[in-house]
């Protein structure tokens, strides 16, 4: 059966728009949004949550192979730098994320330096870089644990408080928006578990007695900083 083309605004006036759209009588509009990332896992996740109202493109798909500088001193700042870069150079509406671990005992380090913590801070913290493991995640974790140990942070069975934080910056229809997600917990002295990545083996979220690396992806993804920030973004975009 064919239907006459009805202007969306007219249809909306009569309150039928959602009905027509949901029943595939009106063609859905697709909005293109760039996610300033090439991380396949993050891209799949956001595409499956947003469904077919949004066409999500990666940096690669828009021909951007730049190493976008992340020189801000906050997660929001770095996310916004990436989103603005895409908007300015490629013209697309865009969102970008930045995440990391913050340990209160260390004035919120590793923070925005989470991915390159050992490289940047080992020397300052009095830790010999050559004595750290080769692999990046292990290197960063070991650097953090040694530094906490050197400062007696685990003395008398203490577990230093920490949180993972994600900020997403969105540039959309002329506005700039932020969505933050946090998961609180503590750091343990010995790594446990094998799933996940980064600092997962030494982070125990509040309400649990296992590390993210022991809890596995399903549990982690239901409570993680990233999941919390993404769900705020999705709620906003689906309005
Ligand atoms: P990104 O901004 O998501 O790329 O994260 C930057 C760095 O923060 C990563 O390289 C990890 O070291 C750390 N990080 C961020 N999220 C997590 C997480 O969920 N688990 C463990 N480490 C994380």
């Amino acid at each position: 059966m064919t239907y006459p083309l009805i202007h969306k605004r007219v249809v909306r006036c009569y309150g039928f728009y959602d009905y027509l759209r949901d029943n595939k009588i009106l063609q859905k509009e697709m909005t293109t949004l760039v996610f300033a990332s090439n991380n396949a896992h993050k891209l799949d996740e956001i595409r499956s949550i947003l469904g077919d109202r949004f066409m999500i493109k990666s940096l690669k798909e828009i021909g951007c192979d730049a190493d976008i500088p992340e020189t801000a001193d906050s997660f929001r700042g770095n996310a916004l730098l990436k989103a603005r870069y895409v908007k300015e150079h490629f013209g697309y509406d865009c969102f970008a994320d930045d995440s990391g671990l913050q340990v209160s005992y260390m004035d919120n380090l590793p923070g925005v330096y989470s991915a390159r913590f050992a490289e940047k801070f080992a020397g300052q913290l009095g830790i010999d870089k050559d004595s750290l493991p080769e692999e990046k995640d292990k290197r960063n974790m070991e650097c953090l644990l040694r530094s906490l140990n050197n400062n007696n942070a685990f003395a008398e069975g203490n577990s230093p408080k920490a949180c993972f934080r994600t900020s997403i910056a969105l540039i959309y229809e002329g506005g700039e928006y932020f969505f933050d997600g946090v998961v609180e917990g503590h750091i343990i002295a010995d790594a446990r578990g094998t799933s996940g990545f980064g600092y997962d083996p030494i982070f125990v979220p509040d309400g649990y007695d296992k590390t993210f690396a022991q809890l596995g992806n399903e549990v982690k993804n239901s409570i993680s900083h990233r999941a919390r920030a993404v769900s705020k973004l999705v709620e906003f975009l689906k309005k």
Side-chain angles (χ1 to χ4, degrees), residues 42 97-100 114-115 137 164 197-200 220 225-226:
K42 289 186 187 175
D97 69 339
D98 194 38
S99 313
S114 291
D137 283 347
F164 276 117
F197 69 103
Y199 300 88
D200 281 347
K220 180 184 169 187
H225 47 312
R226 207 171 349 269

Side-chain angles (χ1 to χ4, degrees), residues 173-218:
E173 296 183 340
E176 290 182 340
Y177 308 89
F178 292 102
F179 307 92
D180 299 314
V182 181
V183 56
E184 304 279 352
H186 64 267
I187 302 294
I188 54 163
D190 297 299
R192 284 194 246 137
T194 52
S195 84
F197 69 103
Y199 300 88
D200 281 347
I202 56 169
F203 179 81
V204 176
D206 284 352
Y208 294 81
D209 58 7
K210 290 182 172 159
T211 65
F212 263 169
Q214 290 174 305
L215 288 169
N217 283 339
E218 203 176 319

